[in-house]
Amino acid sequence: AAGFKGLPSPVFFLSTGRCGTNWFTTLLSHDRSLKAFHEPRPNLGVQGKVAYMLYTKKEFQPTKHESELLREIVLAAREQYLRYSYKTQRRFVETNNQITFLAPAIFQLFPDARFVHLNRHPGEFVRSALRRNFYNNADDIKRIIPLEADLHYPSWDSFSALEKNSWLWNETNRFIERFKSGIPEENHHYFDFSTLDEDSISRLCTFLDVHIPEGKIRKLLHKPVNVQQSGNLGSYGSWPEEDREQLRKICTEMASRYNYQL
């Protein structure tokens, strides 16, 4: 990016949220060469939704002018963080899921950025999203919805909250896959939060070229961060069959890609 030559390659986590982003911020803070943020301000949620609409409507081919505007949005929101990173030579890491739909603009700005695609079993994501009242609270202003032209979902308004959140999991991961298919393989890494262990962390550290003592990793593995306590929906395995069927109808194809059993 103009003005950021010599910036250590930044790292961006792409995800639906509700899949350990806070935990990774804590983990990566143990490498002093990084400066990890869970949710820098502004969090870009609403702008991410605008980007989603634009990229989806234009089949990932917005006009030159539109692309430029999206890049400017990212720069305006993150300039002070990136300047700090440049000055201190500490790599900027953002685990905030709100920037997911701005990934194409971020890659244009920082072609050497590393992207971590963080995922989780759709049943567990939906359970967490329902507990947080997704699609039924003030934060919905930044939550994506199907484009009017998307005839697969003519009945969005009649969807249950479970179906809406299943669609959110499916569509966010579909978007990330589409983005990943257009960038070099060495720029992205897939991480399944459902199988969090020392091996997967070690592969992530290798990909990011970061160094975290094994003892710290072991300690953190036994210490979940930002866990949701309230809510009455049990783990996916204990859902009533009709609830699981609602989720299957929407998520089966994407879930099989990640070997998730529905």
Side-chain angles (χ1 to χ4, degrees), residues 125-153:
F125 164 75
V126 168
R127 173 194 186 202
S128 186
L130 287 172
R131 288 168 155 190
R132 294 273 170 132
N133 262 334
F134 281 21
Y135 291 109
N136 196 22
N137 67 27
D139 265 356
D140 290 343
I141 187 171
K142 63 190 184 195
R143 210 108 39 224
I144 62 166
I145 57 172
L147 298 183
E148 279 171 26
D150 190 344
L151 297 176
H152 303 302
Y153 297 98

Side-chain angles (χ1 to χ4, degrees), residues 45-58:
V46 174
Q47 293 74 20
K49 182 180 179 177
V50 170
Y52 164 76
M53 302 302 245
L54 190 59
Y55 285 123
T56 307
K57 204 181 280 184
K58 299 285 180 79

Side-chain angles (χ1 to χ4, degrees), residues 5-200:
K5 291 224 183 307
L7 181 78
S9 68
V11 177
F12 299 90
F13 279 63
L14 310 177
S15 77
T16 57
R18 309 307 311 141
C19 51
T21 49
N22 214 340
W23 189 89
F24 283 99
T25 313
T26 307
L27 172 80
L28 294 170
S29 298
H30 288 295
D31 182 330
R32 300 294 299 150
S33 72
L34 308 174
K35 184 67 179 161
F37 296 92
H38 181 234
E39 203 168 285
R41 298 278 177 223
N43 72 18
L44 290 174
V46 174
Q47 293 74 20
K49 182 180 179 177
V50 170
Y52 164 76
M53 302 302 245
L54 190 59
Y55 285 123
T56 307
K57 204 181 280 184
K58 299 285 180 79
E59 288 290 313
F60 267 56
Q61 297 292 323
T63 65
K64 193 176 165 209
H65 183 57
E66 288 162 341
S67 293
E68 215 167 86
L69 284 174
L70 290 170
R71 291 196 297 272
E72 286 302 328
I73 285 170
V74 173
L75 274 182
R78 296 293 175 262
E79 191 168 12
Q80 69 188 58
Y81 295 97
L82 294 164
R83 284 193 188 288
Y84 171 84
S85 173
Y86 178 77
K87 271 189 205 146
T88 58
Q89 284 299 291
R90 288 174 78 186
R91 284 168 77 195
F92 173 79
V93 179
E94 180 164 354
T95 64
N96 164 31
N97 71 293
Q98 310 290 347
I99 48 103
T100 296
F101 301 115
L102 286 156
I106 292 169
F107 180 67
Q108 287 170 356
L109 283 166
F110 307 108
D112 64 342
R114 305 275 172 96
F115 295 91
V116 179
H117 175 189
L118 189 54
N119 204 1
R120 181 186 189 183
H121 188 289
E124 294 310 312
F125 164 75
V126 168
R127 173 194 186 202
S128 186
L130 287 172
R131 288 168 155 190
R132 294 273 170 132
N133 262 334
F134 281 21
Y135 291 109
N136 196 22
N137 67 27
D139 265 356
D140 290 343
I141 187 171
K142 63 190 184 195
R143 210 108 39 224
I144 62 166
I145 57 172
L147 298 183
E148 279 171 26
D150 190 344
L151 297 176
H152 303 302
Y153 297 98
S155 54
W156 178 253
D157 290 338
S158 65
F159 267 20
S160 66
L162 193 155
E163 287 171 310
K164 286 179 175 177
N165 285 295
S166 299
W167 177 85
L168 177 62
W169 180 89
N170 199 71
E171 184 63 9
T172 304
N173 284 298
R174 197 182 68 80
F175 184 98
I176 296 170
E177 290 298 346
R178 173 110 192 231
F179 165 66
K180 280 160 44 180
S181 71
I183 68 172
E185 234 165 80
E186 61 267 22
N187 286 74
H188 62 85
H189 178 84
Y190 178 75
F191 195 105
D192 180 3
F193 193 62
S194 309
T195 54
L196 186 64
D197 58 25
E198 280 183 56
D199 268 2
S200 58

